[in-house]
């Protein structure tokens, strides 16, 4: 099978052995996958965490990136009961990666489910990285109906889900984005939008219960200035460098001790029922993905460059199998 194999920052298409499912595994033919922030950061071996996970001098175990996908079940192990051949599914490999390939094997109890009926494979492939991340951090911030929430980077892959989920939970949402993305953010349900190229959100005099920064560019001081006392500053994005991570931790401890705010950061974790919850909202028409650009597997290096540039709208999708649904 074809797969995008990376080594020391370079990604190349190679022919490798097609995986064979174990008794408890499902073999999925991947129709679509994505290039998300975790992919290009791991490829660069920068930030520090990516180096630590994957070896200081180059890849040790993870050679194929890709965290989320949609496709069809090709075969199942003899102990599998949840899925059958031909099932249309969407899922995530998490930090095991491996979705930038024509096939992938996953345990039956992995983050895998029948694809939403009202989504194409390409749309469904782009759900779980942003959706799970946004859901995890909004819950950690203890979002409640009636709160005022600011989403910085509202047009990115995490931001579009954070915005839509915050609205679902009953919040009044302000989305921060560039001029080119104002209409998109409004269409996703934002009550107010701020064009960061023309306005500094922290100088408008507005106060929020939650400031959710998906790109690490809101600024610690500016965000705290815009938070009500005891509010939550959610920091998902950032350079990922060790100095930046330590800085967030130290400042977070300080503001928490003073009671000024609660800093919410770290790595998103999947809770039981998260995938089912997101799928339910999708099929109810309350949640959607946004696809910025589509690439073939052969064009994956270009897809990495575009995603890494930091100006995409929603998701960068890799299409491996052309299909109408």
């Amino acid at each position: 099978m074809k797969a995008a194999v990376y080594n020391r920052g370079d990604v190349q298409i190679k022919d490798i052995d097609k995986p064979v499912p174990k008794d408890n595994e499902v073999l999925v033919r991947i129709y679509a996958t994505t290039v998300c922030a975790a992919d290009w950061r791991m490829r660069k071996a920068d930030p520090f965490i990516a180096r630590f996970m994957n070896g200081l001098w180059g890849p040790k175990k993870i050679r194929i990136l890709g965290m989320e996908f949609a496709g069809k079940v090709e075969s199942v192990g003899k102990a599998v009961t949840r899925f059958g051949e031909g099932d249309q599914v969407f899922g995530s490999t998490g930090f095991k990666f491996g979705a930038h390939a024509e096939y992938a094997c996953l345990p039956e109890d992995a983050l895998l489910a029948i694809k939403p009926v009202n989504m194409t494979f390409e749309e469904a492939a782009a759900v779980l990285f942003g959706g799970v991340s946004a859901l995890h951090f909004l819950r950690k911030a203890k979002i409640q109906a009636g709160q005022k929430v600011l989403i910085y980077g509202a047009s990115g892959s995490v931001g579009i889900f954070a915005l839509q989920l915050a609205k679902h939970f009953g919040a009044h949402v302000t989305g921060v984005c560039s001029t080119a993305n104002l209409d998109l953010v409004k269409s996703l349900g934002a009550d107010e939008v701020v064009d960061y190229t023309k306005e500094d959100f922290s100088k408008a005099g507005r106060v929020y219960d939650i400031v959710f920064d998906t790109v690490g560019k809101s600024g610690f001081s500016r965000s705290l200035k815009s938070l009500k006392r005891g509010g939550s500053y959610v920091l998902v994005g950032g350079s990922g460098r060790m100095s930046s991570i330590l800085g967030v931790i130290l400042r977070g401890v300080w503001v928490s001790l003073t009671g000024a705010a609660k800093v919410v950061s770290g790595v998103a974790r999947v809770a039981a029922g998260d995938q089912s919850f997101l799928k339910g909202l999708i099929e109810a028409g309350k949640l959607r993905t946004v696809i910025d650009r589509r690439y073939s597997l052969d064009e994956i290096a270009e897809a990495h460059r575009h995603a890494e540039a930091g100006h995409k709208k929603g998701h960068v999708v890799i299409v491996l199998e052309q299909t109408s649904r």
Side-chain angles (χ1 to χ4, degrees):
M1 71 171 184
K2 286 187 175 181
V5 177
Y6 88 104
N7 183 39
R8 301 184 187 278
D10 183 41
V11 181
Q12 295 182 349
I13 305 303
K14 295 187 177 182
D15 287 316
I16 64 173
D17 291 338
K18 178 179 173 182
V20 177
K22 298 176 183 177
D23 289 352
N24 68 330
E25 288 184 334
V26 177
L27 176 66
V28 178
R29 176 163 187 154
I30 296 176
Y31 282 23
T33 180
T34 69
V35 175
C36 65
D39 295 315
W40 63 259
R41 283 177 170 168
M42 183 67 81
R43 172 185 54 79
K44 290 181 66 177
D46 179 21
F48 174 86
I49 291 177
R51 285 187 181 271
F52 180 78
M53 288 179 63
N54 219 25
L56 290 173
W57 309 113
K60 285 183 178 180
K61 182 178 179 181
I62 299 170
R63 301 295 300 277
I64 302 170
L65 299 174
M67 297 183 73
E68 54 187 350
F69 64 89
K72 282 188 178 181
V73 174
E74 176 147 309
S75 63
V76 299
K78 62 183 181 181
V80 173
T81 59
R82 286 183 59 214
F83 301 99
E85 184 179 332
D87 284 347
Q88 298 184 0
V89 294
F90 76 124
S92 172
T93 55
F95 285 104
K96 292 182 179 179
F97 294 92
H100 290 169
E102 292 181 312
Y103 294 90
C105 277
L106 293 90
E108 179 183 22
D109 60 357
L111 198 62
L112 186 68
I114 300 299
K115 179 178 71 69
V117 296
N118 55 341
M119 273 190 166
T120 65
F121 287 101
E122 295 169 22
E123 292 166 338
V127 170
L128 290 177
F129 176 76
V132 166
S133 297
L135 186 59
H136 170 87
F137 288 110
L138 286 173
R139 285 174 171 165
K140 285 196 71 173
K142 296 181 172 24
I143 189 169
Q144 297 178 19
Q147 287 185 327
K148 293 185 177 180
V149 177
L150 180 134
I151 310 292
Y152 198 100
S155 59
S157 56
V158 176
I160 63 169
F161 285 108
L163 193 165
Q164 294 176 90
L165 288 169
K167 287 298 298 178
H168 171 73
F169 290 130
H172 182 279
V173 180
T174 298
V176 181
C177 60
S178 65
T179 308
N181 297 329
L182 292 176
D183 288 340
L184 168 63
V185 171
K186 289 177 183 176
S187 74
L188 293 170
D191 298 287
E192 299 176 50
V193 292
V194 174
D195 182 346
Y196 70 78
T197 68
K198 298 179 180 179
E199 180 183 355
D200 183 341
F201 74 91
S202 68
K203 295 182 179 179
R206 305 184 187 96
V207 178
Y208 302 93
D209 297 280
I210 300 172
V211 172
F212 192 136
D213 183 355
T214 72
V215 291
K217 297 181 179 179
S218 64
F220 210 97
S221 298
R222 290 195 303 159
S223 297
L224 292 183
K225 178 182 176 182
S226 300
L227 271 175
K228 79 172 195 179
R229 185 168 182 80
S232 293
Y233 176 34
V234 179
L235 183 56
V236 178
S239 70
R241 296 183 182 278
M242 194 61 179
S243 58
S244 176
I245 294 169
L246 289 174
V248 169
I249 292 172
L250 292 173
R251 284 180 288 184
V253 170
W254 171 249
V255 299
S256 296
L257 287 173
T258 61
K262 176 184 177 184
V263 178
V264 179
S265 191
V267 178
R269 298 185 183 279
V270 182
D274 280 358
Q275 187 174 18
S276 178
F277 176 77
L278 294 170
K279 179 182 175 182
L281 290 181
I282 291 166
E283 293 185 335
K286 297 180 179 179
L287 195 64
R288 65 182 175 97
T289 55
V290 174
I291 297 176
D292 181 17
R293 295 187 185 179
R294 295 169 172 83
Y295 296 88
S296 69
L297 186 62
D298 290 334
E299 298 171 319
I300 197 165
E302 183 180 346
H304 270 265
R305 286 191 290 271
H306 179 61
E308 187 180 343
H311 301 294
K312 64 184 177 67
K313 300 178 183 179
H315 305 86
V316 172
V317 172
I318 306 299
V319 181
L320 290 93
E321 183 80 13
Q322 298 290 342
T323 176
S324 59
R325 290 301 298 176

